[in-house]
């Protein structure tokens, strides 16, 4: 797994609130024994015209079926992204599709924790910041890249504007993100408040569900 320090990539926006893990990877897409190959089932209920479990005829209206978003590596999502069940395969599907980071105002707690162990960075920014990024991406036709820099705790918008984000792990975030293998999960270090602050947030200790 490639350590996450800094990533610049194409962005896709999915501004839906309360997208649960069953929407991210439906149960009918879980019939695999390895941790790979789940990207095909990512958002299957929306990506495919006949939904999850049907044939793979794409729905041309879904963002990830359109160029240039098909090659996105950063996802902008709505509040409470990946709520619901604790299925770790939700992170596997995002990673297998090619996503390295997800930016949203808030996340489901267990998904948020699972992201670290699986090479996907969960970034919490407030609603207005996420909306501003989505507008810039749309105005560029999806071609303007976004940069997530874990070392400086900044998100760099397509226009160059930088959003500073506090490191809730008091300097340990980068150490944990680049550890191989990652350290075991320890809930004692989790911040007590996570969802009402603009920050680049990374739970650093592995899968919990």
């Amino acid at each position: 797994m490639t350590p996450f320090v800094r990533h610049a990539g194409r962005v896709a926006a999915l501004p839906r609130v309360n997208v649960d893990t069953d929407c991210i990877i439906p149960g009918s897409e879980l019939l695999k024994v390895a941790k790979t190959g789940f990207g095909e089932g990512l958002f299957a209920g929306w990506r495919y015209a006949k939904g999850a479990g049907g044939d793979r005829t794409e729905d041309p209206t879904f963002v990830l079926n359109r160029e240039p978003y098909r090659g996105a590596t950063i996802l902008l999502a709505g509040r409470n992204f990946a709520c619901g069940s604790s299925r770790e395969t939700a992170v596997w599907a995002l990673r297998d599709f090619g996503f390295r980071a997800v930016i949203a105002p808030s996340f489901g707690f267990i998904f948020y924790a699972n992201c670290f162990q699986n090479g996907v960075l969960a970034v919490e920014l407030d609603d207005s910041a996420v909306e501003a990024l989505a507008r810039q991406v749309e105005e560029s036709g999806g071609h303007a890249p976004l940069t997530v820099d874990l070392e400086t705790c900044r998100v760099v918008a397509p226009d160059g504007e930088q959003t500073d984000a506090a490191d809730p792990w008091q300097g340990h975030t980068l150490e944990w993100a680049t550890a191989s293998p990652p350290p075991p999960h320890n809930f004692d270090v989790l911040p007590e408040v996570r969802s009402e602050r603009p920050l680049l947030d990374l739970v650093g200790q592995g899968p919990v569900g």
Side-chain angles (χ1 to χ4, degrees):
M1 182 174 64
T2 303
F4 193 113
V5 178
R6 186 176 188 272
H7 177 73
R10 189 164 293 163
V11 185
L14 187 69
R16 307 185 189 194
V17 298
N18 299 319
V19 172
D20 63 27
T21 52
D22 189 58
C23 292
I24 297 172
I25 181 74
S28 59
E29 302 290 334
L30 300 180
L31 303 178
K32 300 181 185 296
V33 295
K35 290 185 177 182
T36 58
F38 289 96
E40 187 180 9
L42 178 68
F43 300 124
W46 299 331
R47 280 173 67 195
Y48 303 118
K50 294 186 179 179
D55 66 36
R56 295 313 201 196
T57 302
E58 293 182 346
D59 178 349
T61 66
F62 187 67
V63 61
L64 296 182
N65 293 335
R66 307 199 311 266
E67 298 294 348
Y69 307 105
R70 190 186 296 272
T73 58
I74 299 173
L75 180 68
L76 292 176
R79 180 169 291 278
N80 202 27
F81 182 76
C83 55
S85 69
S86 61
R87 62 183 63 168
E88 191 178 10
T89 45
V91 184
W92 297 353
L94 287 161
R95 182 194 62 198
D96 197 63
F97 184 85
F99 286 112
R100 293 303 315 278
V102 182
I103 300 174
S106 60
F107 296 89
F109 179 74
I110 296 177
F111 170 87
Y112 181 84
N114 281 339
C115 278
F116 173 77
Q117 181 76 14
N118 293 285
V120 177
L121 186 66
V123 181
E124 283 190 351
L125 297 177
D126 61 30
D127 294 87
S128 61
V130 174
E131 290 169 3
L133 292 173
R135 282 196 300 272
Q136 289 191 38
V137 170
E138 183 178 2
E139 289 168 359
S140 74
H143 294 284
L146 185 69
T147 300
V148 179
D149 193 327
L150 181 58
E151 192 166 28
T152 62
C153 285
R154 289 177 177 173
V155 175
V156 184
D159 66 359
E161 182 178 353
Q162 300 184 18
T163 301
D164 291 318
D167 178 0
W169 308 109
Q170 300 178 342
H172 291 291
T173 307
L174 184 63
E175 175 187 342
W176 291 338
T178 57
S180 182
H185 189 82
N186 178 3
F187 274 105
D188 292 339
V189 301
L190 294 178
E192 292 183 4
V193 179
R194 297 178 39 262
S195 61
E196 298 302 326
R197 62 180 190 271
L199 52 80
L200 187 152
D201 233 346
L202 177 64
V203 170
Q205 343 283 330
V208 296

